[in-house]
Amino acid sequence: MEQKKISVIHAPFGLGSSRSGTELGPESMRVAGLLRQIKALGYDVTGEFTVETPGAGAASTSKMKHEAAVRGMSSRVADLVTDAARGGGFPLVLGGDQSVSIGAFAGLTRHYANLGAICFTAYGGLLTEASSPTGDANGMPLAIALGKAGFRLSDVAEGAKLLSKDKLVLISVRHLEPEERDIIRSEGIAFFSMYDIDKHGIEKVIAQAMDIAGDGTDGVHLSISADSLDPLEAPGVGFPIPGGLSYREAHFACELLAETGRITSMDVAEVNPSQDDNRRTARLAVGLVMSALGKRII
C-alpha cells in the first residue's frame, strides 16, 4: 500500500489579528507532538516548511492593516500549498491567525479546478476592507476567497481562482457583522450555526456539509479555527465566544470527514498559547488534525 504523503507548512503569522499570540500557535502544536503523531499514523512527511513571515513594515495605506505583510505571507503559503498539491500530497497549513487561509485558498484554487471548502469558525471571515470595524485580515479570508474584497487571491498567486459560493460551508459561527449576514443571505452560502448543530446533531450537519462542498468538486479543503470550539474546551484563542463545539462534537466531525476520503487539504489557525492553559488548546488542535487524517482507536 502506497504511503500517504503530507506537507506541513508552518505559518507563524500574527499581524492579521489585533491581539498578539497566535504567531506562537504553530510552535505550540509542534511541541504538542503533531509531527510525531502524523508519522505514527503512517504518513510520509514529504516536507516541513516554516514560512518566514514579514514584519509589520510601514503603516498600511489600505483599510486592511499590515496589507503588505499579509500579501507577502500569503504568497509564500500559496506557493508551498500549490507545490504540495501538485506533488500529490496533502497540504497542512498551521497558523498563526486566520489570515493564513488567504494563502491556502490562493494556492489550492491555483491547483484544483473546482475546490470545495468546509470552515469551522466562530466568526464569519466575510468582512471586507470597507465593512471590517478593525481592519484585521483574519476577519477577511472568505470575503477575499469569494472575490468580495478589494484584496484578491490573484494578488497573492498568479492563476488563483475564486472559491465558488455554492461549494462553501460555514459551521459553528456565533458572531457576524451585519454586512456578513447580508453576504450569506444574498449569496446563499451554506451556514450551520450552533442552533443547527443542537437541533439536528453534528452527524447530520457534516453529512449535509459534505454533500455541498463535495458535490462535483475535485478537492475539499477543511479549515479549522480554534475559536470554533467552546472556550471551556479551548481557552487558548484570541477572542473566545461561549457556546462553541464540544470536545466530542469536534472530534466526531473530523472523524466523519475523514471517513469520506474527500478531504484533500487543511488549515488550522487561531491557537493562541498566550491565552492557553497548559497547552490544552494546542493539544486539542493536534487531536483534531489527527482525527481528520483518519486516526482511530482500532
Side-chain angles (χ1 to χ4, degrees):
M1 181 177 177
E2 185 179 357
Q3 197 174 22
K4 297 168 288 187
K5 297 190 293 184
I6 190 168
S7 183
V8 182
I9 301 160
H10 300 261
F13 186 81
L15 292 176
S17 173
S18 55
R19 178 168 291 178
S20 63
T22 52
E23 68 277 5
L24 305 173
E27 175 64 12
S28 186
M29 286 183 272
R30 185 192 67 79
V31 172
L34 178 62
L35 266 293
R36 172 181 55 79
Q37 294 187 48
I38 288 175
K39 292 175 182 177
L41 194 59
Y43 278 84
D44 175 17
V45 180
T46 56
E48 183 183 4
F49 308 94
T50 297
V51 173
E52 295 297 328
T53 56
S60 177
T61 57
S62 165
K63 291 184 178 179
M64 176 194 286
K65 290 181 182 176
H66 308 300
E67 181 179 340
V70 172
R71 188 186 306 272
M73 175 275 297
S74 299
S75 181
R76 292 173 176 84
V77 169
D79 287 344
L80 290 168
V81 166
T82 300
D83 288 346
R86 286 177 176 169
F90 184 104
L92 171 61
V93 180
L94 306 176
D97 65 65
Q98 197 65 62
S99 65
V100 301
S101 293
I102 300 169
F105 281 122
L108 292 168
T109 59
R110 184 163 55 183
H111 173 70
Y112 291 103
N114 187 12
L115 181 72
I118 298 174
C119 302
F120 290 83
T121 176
Y123 299 88
L126 289 163
L127 293 170
T128 67
E129 298 91 336
S131 63
S132 172
T134 64
D136 292 331
N138 69 339
M140 305 181 190
L142 292 179
I144 292 168
L146 294 172
K148 299 296 182 181
F151 191 102
R152 301 284 178 172
L153 291 184
S154 57
D155 296 335
V156 169
E158 185 177 356
K161 303 179 291 294
L162 294 181
L163 182 68
S164 170
K165 63 182 182 181
D166 299 324
K167 305 303 178 186
L168 170 63
V169 182
L170 299 179
I171 299 175
S172 185
V173 176
R174 306 190 295 287
H175 176 86
L176 291 171
E177 296 294 338
E179 295 86 352
E180 293 180 295
R181 291 192 187 93
D182 291 342
I183 290 176
I184 290 170
R185 289 167 177 162
S186 64
E187 300 294 338
I189 294 170
F191 178 88
F192 297 97
S193 67
M194 289 307 302
Y195 170 85
D196 299 307
I197 293 170
D198 290 341
K199 183 175 181 179
H200 302 293
I202 193 67
E203 183 174 13
K204 185 173 181 180
V205 166
I206 293 301
Q208 291 178 317
M210 185 52 73
D211 284 345
I212 295 165
D215 182 20
T217 54
D218 54 350
V220 178
H221 180 64
L222 173 60
S223 178
I224 297 181
S225 176
D227 56 34
S228 64
L229 297 150
D230 193 284
L232 294 175
E233 310 279 8
V237 301
F239 299 95
I241 301 179
L245 293 168
S246 71
Y247 180 97
R248 273 308 312 156
E249 283 174 330
H251 269 285
F252 191 31
C254 289
E255 290 161 358
L256 291 168
L257 289 169
E259 286 176 358
T260 70
R262 297 291 309 279
I263 303 300
T264 51
S265 57
M266 185 175 182
D267 73 61
V268 183
E270 298 291 342
V271 173
N272 190 326
S274 67
Q275 306 294 320
D276 210 355
D277 174 20
N278 195 29
R279 221 180 294 278
R280 279 178 60 200
T281 308
R283 293 199 303 269
L284 177 50
V286 168
L288 295 180
V289 171
M290 300 312 299
S291 287
L293 292 177
K295 183 178 181 180
R296 296 291 181 270
I297 299 300
I298 297 179

